[in-house]
Structure formats: C-alpha cells, structure tokens
Amino acid sequence: MILAILVLAAFCFFLVAVLAPRGRARSGWMGALALILIASVLAIAANDLSHFGLKTVTTTTTQRIAGVKGNSLLVKPIGTNGKNQVVVYRPNPLSNKTVTAKPGVTTTVQIKRGQTATLTIKTKQLRYQNTFYAFLFAWSGQNQQTLHRAYQFTVPVSWQLVQK
C-alpha cells in the first residue's frame, strides 16, 4: 500500500505543480505532497534496512518423538567439520511416516542427551507491529517471514544415533 501512496502522491504533486495557479495554495499543496513523498521513501528504505513496522516473535513448540526403528535416530553429517547434520525421526510412535530435519541458511539442528525423547522447535518470525503497519506494508510479503528455525533433539542415553 505504501507504493500506492508513493505513486499517488507523485502524481498529485505533478498535477499541482503543472496545473495549479501560482500562489500560496499551490506552494502549500506542493510542500505537503513533497513531505508525503519523502516520508514514503524513507519508510520504504527503513523497512528494507531494519524491518520498520515489524517485530520479531519467537515461538517454541515441544513434542515427543519416536525413533525411526525402535530407539534410534538416523543421523547424516553434512560437510567436512561434522557440525551440520540431517536427522530423520518419527513424530508419532503409531505412524510409519518419517520426518527429516535439515540444516540450512536459517535452520540449525542440534542433538543432546536427556531423559525423554523430545523435539523442541524454536522459530523466529517477523510480524507486523499493528494494523497500521499491516495496512502500510500489505504487499511486501514480510509478515510471518521466518528469520531462523532451530531444531533441538533431546534423546535418552539408551537411544542410538545411527549414522547413515
């Protein structure tokens, strides 16, 4: 919507500058429209640079998991240093469907030992601060954009980590 405001203000500024008779009214309208143009450009630049109008929201979900076969998780290291790894697990012990947690640019996967087999997913997302900013940046596609997702597997000592 801010792009529509920018285009409309530029068009109105042009019309006032070309068609309006000289005088105080013309100068006043041109000044007001110039301020709208500058404010629109600054808001667009601030949104692009530092996510103006958006806030970071972190959600955490924890769920019990089941091993792929019995009490085991399939782990495949990626890269040469072994820090990144793909983990295959079942979210439901009654299901045969497996799910894969893959590391990426905005995703990290971690395995640690604990008491019960759980998966904690922390997701950082951008959300509009209020309805005004939602209206202003409606077409930007930034609402609920994922900044980072972290998978943390907690598995008991009795579980095996099968490397594939």
Side-chain angles (χ1 to χ4, degrees), residues 43-97:
I44 291 170
N47 179 267
D48 187 44
L49 182 66
S50 63
H51 303 295
F52 173 69
L54 297 162
K55 62 183 175 182
T56 303
V57 177
T58 303
T59 57
T60 303
T61 58
T62 302
Q63 63 186 23
R64 293 189 65 128
I65 60 170
V68 177
K69 290 187 180 181
N71 291 339
S72 63
L73 289 179
L74 294 179
V75 178
K76 181 173 182 180
I78 297 176
T80 56
N81 62 4
K83 289 183 180 179
N84 296 324
Q85 51 200 357
V86 174
V87 178
V88 181
Y89 65 98
R90 286 186 305 154
N92 184 352
L94 303 175
S95 163
N96 289 330
K97 183 180 177 186

Side-chain angles (χ1 to χ4, degrees), residues 31-164:
L33 290 169
L35 285 175
I36 293 172
L37 280 169
I38 291 169
S40 297
V41 169
L42 289 176
I44 291 170
N47 179 267
D48 187 44
L49 182 66
S50 63
H51 303 295
F52 173 69
L54 297 162
K55 62 183 175 182
T56 303
V57 177
T58 303
T59 57
T60 303
T61 58
T62 302
Q63 63 186 23
R64 293 189 65 128
I65 60 170
V68 177
K69 290 187 180 181
N71 291 339
S72 63
L73 289 179
L74 294 179
V75 178
K76 181 173 182 180
I78 297 176
T80 56
N81 62 4
K83 289 183 180 179
N84 296 324
Q85 51 200 357
V86 174
V87 178
V88 181
Y89 65 98
R90 286 186 305 154
N92 184 352
L94 303 175
S95 163
N96 289 330
K97 183 180 177 186
T98 60
V99 179
T100 305
K102 301 176 192 173
V105 175
T106 60
T107 306
T108 57
V109 178
Q110 219 178 17
I111 300 175
K112 70 176 194 171
R113 296 293 182 166
Q115 298 296 322
T116 60
T118 59
L119 169 62
T120 303
I121 303 172
K122 287 185 182 180
T123 305
K124 259 188 203 179
Q125 290 182 324
L126 291 175
R127 301 247 174 97
Y128 292 123
Q129 289 181 3
N130 53 37
T131 54
F132 172 73
Y133 292 115
F135 172 75
L136 207 56
F137 299 109
W139 299 324
S140 70
Q142 291 177 321
N143 193 32
Q144 296 184 355
Q145 177 184 357
T146 301
L147 297 175
H148 186 261
R149 181 172 285 135
Y151 293 93
Q152 183 175 11
F153 291 90
T154 305
V155 293
V157 179
S158 61
W159 280 41
Q160 294 178 354
L161 300 177
V162 179
Q163 294 207 2
K164 199 170 186 180

